[in-house]
Amino acid sequence: MRKRYMPGAYLAGAVMARTGDEMSGPALLLAGLAVTGSTATASSLLAALTVSAAVGGPLLGVLLDRAAAPGRLLAGALAGYAALLVAVVAGLGRLPVAVPVLLAVVAGLLGPASAGGWTAQLPRVVGSGALPRATALDAMTFNVASLAGPALAGAVAGAGGARAGVLVSAALICLALPSALALPGAGGRTPPGTALPAGPADAGSDTGFSTGSGTAAGTGSGRPEPLGSALVAGFLAVVRNRRLARTTLTSVLCSVGAGLFVACCPPLAARDLGAAGRGALLLAGVAASALAANAVLARLPRRPRPDTVVWCGALALALALTLAAAGGPVLLTAAVVVAGIGEGPQLTAVFAVRHREAPERLRGRVFVTGASLKITGFALGAALAGPLAVRSLPGALLAGAAVEALAVVAFASVRVGTGRGTGSAPGFIRTGPVGSECRRPETGTRHERAEEES
């Protein structure tokens, strides 16, 4: 079942959901500009769609961890996201601007479903032996989506009108619903009502964490833990595990730099390629380079440690932004290629670290919290780019390079020991109330266990 499900339902659903998600932001931006004629309104819609992810992500993660059939919850979140996108575009020009902006904020609460919410289900689809390759393929769906989404948004808006792009993005998200509904349930069980047979064992077998009960976790009874405690547990799972903490911090800072770069693409294209509209070509080039880099990485017989790839990716992104600041078509092309080489493998590595370190009962919270923080970091970078680029385009790009360099420093500053958890002694990690510990068995190859500090 796993081998049949993975290439069919999971990847197809991921591509559809993520392409629709990547398409939704540019499509909404174009629709807002075309309908209202106001750049401020258009940018407000885009900011509203992304800024609320930091709140919605952790809440969605708690619900996914508690759900016996997380695929149904994931499908509901995707359906709600698509419906709210349609509501936003339907209200543009017909209702006061504040109403579509508010609807976009609510839609943004569900945005992390297509990113971290989907990826958190991957260990239930494939066995631990296939997880590294499946993680690389999963990350490549983001590259495909980021390549196709903005291009589709522009093409559909040009052919069918500004509102059509948003409607098509919602339709693509809805096409992912059957795949989401068919995802295996908690413990590898297929949700009732699907034709798939029960999946085999535990998704957390390669992590060494004690899984516990998803509904009674941390309470010692049959009652779910309070929502506040569940949210805190998700954040603590990231903060207390130093490898998760440094990877999350590094990836969020990298997202701030990425937001600066993306917002600078139109003026970059105007400066070096002759037209601001060619900025979409730069984004497509980054996505293509990332896709190629991930394809090469997936075929390597001996892959580098994911922890190492995380900080190397930040270093590559710093170099890319510096090259872009220097000016000229040749250096800009080199910057696009280098940015993709850094971004694609880094995303794969971030997923690999989360799969390796996240406790099974907190897996959804770890993934969706990480995704929502990255989305918010990207929104912050995009917001900073505007005033910085007005003063100096090279200055804005160098500021992004500085943020990427800061990500490398942040990674190095979080010290880790010989164990893969965060306890004071190697091989231990706290998984419950203070004072309770669970020994984690040695896992992975000798080469993997030997890495102490990247």
Side-chain angles (χ1 to χ4, degrees):
M1 184 277 290
R2 293 180 184 229
K3 290 183 179 179
R4 182 168 66 252
Y5 184 89
M6 175 65 191
Y10 181 91
L11 286 180
V15 168
M16 290 297 175
R18 289 164 180 168
T19 300
D21 184 37
E22 289 287 340
M23 186 179 178
S24 63
L28 199 58
L29 188 66
L30 292 172
L33 186 60
V35 173
T36 68
S38 168
T39 303
T41 298
S43 60
S44 296
L45 287 169
L46 182 59
L49 191 65
T50 55
V51 75
S52 57
V55 176
L59 287 171
L60 180 61
V62 170
L63 296 175
L64 284 171
D65 285 334
R66 289 179 172 182
R72 288 183 174 179
L73 178 60
L74 194 59
L78 292 171
Y81 185 58
L84 285 164
L85 287 175
V86 173
V88 170
V89 76
L92 278 175
R94 300 184 178 95
L95 298 173
V97 171
V99 176
V101 169
L102 180 59
L103 289 171
V105 170
V106 178
L109 296 173
L110 302 174
S114 66
W118 199 285
T119 300
Q121 311 310 313
L122 185 57
R124 294 184 174 128
V125 176
V126 300
S128 58
L131 190 57
R133 179 172 174 78
T135 298
L137 292 172
D138 184 46
M140 288 170 69
T141 66
F142 283 93
N143 305 139
V144 171
S146 61
L147 180 61
L152 278 173
V156 173
R163 298 180 193 269
V166 180
L167 297 178
V168 171
S169 72
L172 286 173
I173 293 170
C174 289
L175 287 176
L177 297 183
S179 297
L181 289 169
L183 285 167
R189 297 185 300 274
T190 301
T194 66
L196 296 173
D202 184 60
S205 59
D206 64 319
T207 67
F209 282 90
S210 172
T211 59
S213 168
T215 57
T219 64
S221 69
R223 297 189 305 273
E225 60 184 324
L227 179 60
S229 299
L231 288 170
V232 170
F235 281 107
L236 291 181
V238 174
V239 174
R240 287 180 173 174
N241 184 310
R242 292 183 180 180
R243 283 183 171 83
L244 275 177
R246 71 180 181 181
T247 295
T248 301
L249 177 59
T250 304
S251 64
V252 170
L253 287 172
C254 285
S255 294
V256 176
L260 277 157
F261 177 76
V262 170
C264 288
C265 277
L268 266 176
R271 185 192 71 181
D272 294 334
L273 302 180
R278 292 175 181 171
L281 295 177
L282 300 179
L283 297 179
V286 172
S289 176
L291 186 61
N294 262 336
V296 171
L297 186 68
R299 298 179 67 86
L300 291 179
R302 186 178 181 84
R303 298 167 193 164
R305 288 278 296 167
D307 309 77
T308 303
V309 175
V310 169
W311 71 263
C312 286
L315 198 60
L317 290 168
L319 174 60
L321 284 160
T322 303
L323 290 171
V330 174
L331 289 179
L332 181 57
T333 301
V336 166
V337 173
V338 173
I341 291 172
E343 183 180 277
Q346 187 192 62
L347 182 61
T348 303
V350 168
F351 287 168
V353 172
R354 289 177 187 164
H355 281 308
R356 187 189 69 198
E357 301 292 337
E360 172 62 21
R361 70 180 183 87
L362 301 175
R363 185 178 299 276
R365 272 165 276 186
V366 168
F367 270 88
V368 184
T369 296
S372 61
L373 289 174
K374 287 187 67 177
I375 293 170
T376 303
F378 183 91
L380 175 61
L384 289 173
L388 289 175
V390 168
R391 292 174 177 270
S392 169
L393 179 58
L397 293 165
L398 289 175
V403 174
E404 300 292 353
L406 179 61
V408 179
V409 174
F411 185 96
S413 68
V414 180
R415 312 289 289 181
V416 297
T418 56
R420 288 170 58 191
T422 60
S424 57
F428 285 86
I429 185 165
R430 299 186 185 278
T431 57
V434 175
S436 64
E437 293 178 332
C438 176
R439 178 173 291 276
R440 298 179 62 191
E442 293 291 337
T443 58
T445 65
R446 182 175 61 184
H447 171 72
E448 289 174 336
R449 295 195 300 268
E451 189 266 337
E452 296 182 20
E453 297 176 26
S454 299

